[in-house]
Amino acid sequence: MKRLRIPDLLKGLAILFMIQVHIMELFIDYAGRESIVGKVSLFLGGPFTAMVFMIVMGYFVAKSQKTTMRTLLRGVKIFVLGFFLNIGLNFHLLLKIKYAGWPYNPLEYIFGVDILYLAGLSIILLSLLKLIKKYQVIVSLLLLLSVLLLSGPVNEMLTFPERNYITPFIGGNYSWSYFPLFPWLAYPLAGYFFFFAEDSIKQFVSRKKEWAISVFVLLVAAVICFSKMGFNISVDLPAYYHHGFKYGFWALGLLIIWTTIFYLLVKKFRLSRIEQFLAWMGKNITLLYVVQWLIIGNIATAIYQTQALNRFPLWFFGILFVSLILSWLLAKTKIKLA
């Protein structure tokens, strides 16, 4: 499949935002996280990271010509990769739990529902959705809306007093469930929907520009109107991971605006070196994601939330540099993680 430039650039920028927010969350002390810089960091690590990854992934699952079985196997492979990544990034912590008696439950870290678990399950579900040959636009849109609207009730229903490690993959307000299917399946579905609706949207924009501009202006106004709610949830991690339909719709609106502006800027200003850098990261997103988490996760066990804010740039650029070098070397060996 021929690579598309804009999705790779969006993913490349998103991984930069993700690395910086992981460092802010896990390394920087309370005062730093509560500062203006800390809040902006957490916000950039909200709608502009995981949601972008999932929307782009959903689009390419819809676009893919692979057989259902091959797509299913890819989903299983990514899910299993999530299991081993959780062990790898928490390896230092798991050693502390076993040999130093740290009072934490290791299963909450091994089965912590991170984005690779979500990605694997989403690919499996979308591959099954493709078996429905007709009405893909309508079905995917209805499912997207249903996931967002039902997320609140589903999360309440699946939050049990007794501990378990199965339902958190679906939903529930568990501290170790970061990306459950409710509400996060909505974003792969959004990308999936866009693929099938793309031609109709382009025709609408080209034939009825005044209407398209009016809709875009109304969308901008709505996003601005609810920006306080959106910002507050983005910087509150438990609320962000288990958000409801209001935030979901707001985030999708923000990302439509963000993607449109990004597309127009890239089209007007061609910065070849920067574009090549971002595109390479976007192309190697899974590899880079795994490498940066292995580094950040194991360092975090030793210095968890103890670093002053003025050390943030040092940690960010240092870890980014090491992650890029290791990812480049691994990419040269033709290692494929997904």
Side-chain angles (χ1 to χ4, degrees):
M1 185 189 299
K2 182 181 178 182
R3 298 202 69 88
L4 300 179
R5 181 161 151 260
I6 294 298
D8 277 344
L9 294 176
L10 285 169
K11 289 190 295 179
L13 197 55
I15 195 66
L16 288 177
F17 290 153
M18 181 165 279
I19 291 173
Q20 65 84 29
V21 81
H22 285 163
I23 293 169
M24 181 62 67
E25 290 175 25
L26 298 175
F27 289 11
I28 306 303
D29 59 21
Y30 178 80
R33 298 195 310 278
E34 290 297 309
S35 67
I36 294 176
V37 173
K39 295 293 187 183
V40 170
S41 168
L42 291 170
F43 176 69
L44 291 176
F48 303 104
T49 56
M51 292 176 183
V52 171
F53 298 151
M54 292 296 102
I55 290 171
V56 172
M57 185 194 76
Y59 178 89
F60 282 105
V61 170
K63 183 179 176 67
S64 174
Q65 299 299 313
K66 293 179 180 178
T67 64
T68 301
M69 183 55 66
R70 286 187 65 189
T71 308
L72 282 169
L73 289 174
R74 179 169 175 253
V76 171
K77 181 180 177 181
I78 291 176
F79 185 89
V80 173
L81 177 62
F83 173 78
F84 286 109
L85 176 60
N86 274 4
I87 293 174
L89 74 90
N90 291 299
F91 190 69
H92 188 187
L93 176 61
L94 295 173
L95 290 177
K96 291 291 186 180
I97 293 171
K98 182 172 178 61
Y99 296 108
W102 283 22
Y104 301 111
N105 184 344
L107 295 180
E108 292 182 8
Y109 297 93
I110 294 172
F111 294 108
V113 185
D114 209 343
I115 197 167
L116 289 183
Y117 281 140
L118 169 68
L121 291 173
S122 298
I123 290 172
I124 291 170
L125 292 173
L126 292 183
S127 69
L128 297 176
L129 180 59
K130 288 184 76 174
L131 295 175
I132 303 173
K133 300 299 182 182
K134 297 181 179 180
Y135 312 114
Q136 289 285 355
V137 171
I138 297 172
V139 172
S140 57
L141 179 60
L142 289 175
L143 286 174
L144 187 165
L145 296 174
S146 298
V147 169
L148 286 178
L149 290 169
L150 293 174
S151 288
V154 167
N155 284 331
E156 290 296 325
M157 183 176 64
L158 294 181
T159 303
F160 306 117
E162 59 274 10
R163 192 180 302 270
N164 77 93
Y165 301 99
I166 302 298
T167 56
F169 287 98
I170 303 170
N173 299 309
Y174 299 94
S175 61
W176 62 91
S177 180
Y178 312 109
F179 296 103
L181 289 173
F182 287 85
W184 288 93
L185 179 60
Y187 305 104
L189 282 168
Y192 188 93
F193 161 78
F194 179 72
F195 172 78
F196 289 103
E198 186 174 8
D199 289 340
S200 298
I201 293 171
K202 286 180 177 178
Q203 289 177 17
F204 173 76
V205 172
S206 64
R207 293 178 181 177
K208 299 186 177 182
K209 291 182 180 179
E210 295 82 3
W211 280 96
I213 292 171
S214 298
V215 170
F216 187 76
V217 169
L218 287 174
L219 180 63
V220 171
V223 168
I224 292 173
C225 182
F226 293 97
S227 60
K228 183 177 180 180
M229 177 273 297
F231 183 86
N232 288 339
I233 291 178
S234 296
V235 302
D236 180 353
L237 293 179
Y240 168 70
Y241 291 133
H242 304 285
H243 61 263
F245 71 94
K246 287 183 180 179
Y247 179 81
F249 289 137
W250 178 84
L252 285 172
L254 177 65
L255 289 175
I256 291 171
I257 297 167
W258 162 241
T259 304
T260 303
I261 294 172
F262 186 83
Y263 170 77
L264 294 174
L265 287 173
V266 169
K267 189 176 179 180
K268 186 173 180 62
F269 304 103
R270 298 187 68 87
L271 305 174
S272 57
R273 292 295 177 87
I274 296 175
E275 284 187 28
Q276 288 173 11
F277 173 64
L278 291 175
W280 182 87
M281 288 196 298
K283 180 181 177 181
N284 294 278
I285 186 71
T286 305
L287 181 59
L288 189 54
Y289 178 81
V290 168
V291 170
Q292 61 87 35
W293 247 143
L294 291 174
I295 297 169
I296 293 173
N298 285 286
I299 294 175
T301 298
I303 61 168
Y304 184 67
Q305 295 184 347
T306 61
Q307 304 296 289
L309 184 61
N310 60 10
R311 297 185 65 82
F312 175 79
L314 178 64
W315 281 114
F316 173 66
F317 288 108
I319 288 176
L320 176 62
F321 177 76
V322 174
S323 298
L324 288 170
I325 293 297
L326 290 176
S327 297
W328 181 78
L329 291 172
L330 289 169
K332 286 290 184 182
T333 66
K334 307 296 182 182
I335 289 179
K336 277 194 167 185
L337 296 181

